Amino acid sequence: DDAALLIIDYYEAASERQQSIIANRRNGNGGVKYAKSGLAEEQMRAYKYALTQLMRDDRIYLRPGLTLPRLAEAVGCSVNHLSQVINSGFGVSFFDFVNRHRVEHAKAMLDDLDDHDAVLNIAFTVGFNSNSAFYSAFKKHVGMTPAQFRRNRAQLDS
């Protein structure tokens, strides 16, 4: 039944398995990587909702010492399950997930504050521990540095 009669049958079966894994990952099911995690789809949705609430309402991303274990404790799940929720449910790593929220907050602050307010102060306010980490994350998510972003906004306003 599953036996390969010809060598090509073996490769075709492997190809079908690979396509299934790729489809699962595209659909957010985690594929083989999380096959044994024990996280049901309903739990995944509940954790995603709790995580979204913590980020939006409590702004937990503003805490400079935020780690995956601390965030998992706040969500009320294991570190492994939270990692799966962020990776499969949101399609990003923990650091990209947190930094995206921090950068969005920083963008709002750059819009609201005067030009003389230091970008470094904004970096620390939104939870970054260093100016270089802030600049790197900002450029990755926005495509320009915070100073360039501020200049562009100032030009649009004038």
Side-chain angles (χ1 to χ4, degrees):
D1 295 355
D2 279 358
L5 298 176
L6 301 171
I7 193 73
I8 189 98
D9 294 336
Y10 173 80
Y11 288 111
E12 286 177 5
S15 175
E16 289 171 16
R17 281 194 302 276
Q18 289 170 340
Q19 289 173 3
S20 174
I21 291 167
I22 291 167
N24 280 338
R25 287 188 178 153
R26 284 188 184 140
N27 294 332
N29 297 334
V32 171
K33 182 176 181 181
Y34 297 110
K36 296 179 182 180
S37 77
L39 182 61
E41 193 64 36
E42 187 175 313
Q43 278 182 305
M44 168 88 82
R45 281 193 298 274
Y47 292 151
K48 275 181 75 174
Y49 179 78
L51 183 55
T52 301
Q53 294 292 106
L54 280 169
M55 295 306 232
R56 186 184 67 223
D57 298 341
D58 297 343
R59 295 196 238 172
I60 197 167
Y61 57 86
L62 294 176
R63 299 177 187 173
L66 185 63
T67 61
L68 187 61
R70 288 181 181 151
L71 188 55
E73 185 178 325
V75 170
C77 67
S78 72
V79 171
N80 291 339
H81 281 176
L82 182 61
S83 181
Q84 181 178 350
V85 167
I86 294 171
N87 295 161
S88 294
F90 292 99
V92 295
S93 70
F94 165 73
F95 290 108
D96 282 340
F97 181 77
V98 172
N99 287 345
R100 181 176 60 210
H101 286 84
R102 289 175 173 168
V103 166
E104 287 303 315
H105 194 107
K107 283 171 53 180
M109 290 181 74
L110 287 165
D111 274 343
D112 291 342
L113 298 174
D114 296 327
D115 284 341
H116 66 274
D117 292 312
V119 172
L120 182 59
N121 290 340
I122 294 170
F124 291 136
T125 300
V126 300
F128 286 96
N129 290 320
S130 73
N131 201 31
S132 62
F134 174 58
Y135 266 77
S136 295
F138 198 96
K139 188 156 186 168
K140 179 178 181 177
H141 289 279
V142 181
M144 62 182 81
T145 67
Q148 291 169 329
F149 179 83
R150 178 181 269 171
R151 278 194 299 275
N152 284 356
R153 293 296 185 172
Q155 289 172 353
L156 291 174
D157 291 342
S158 53

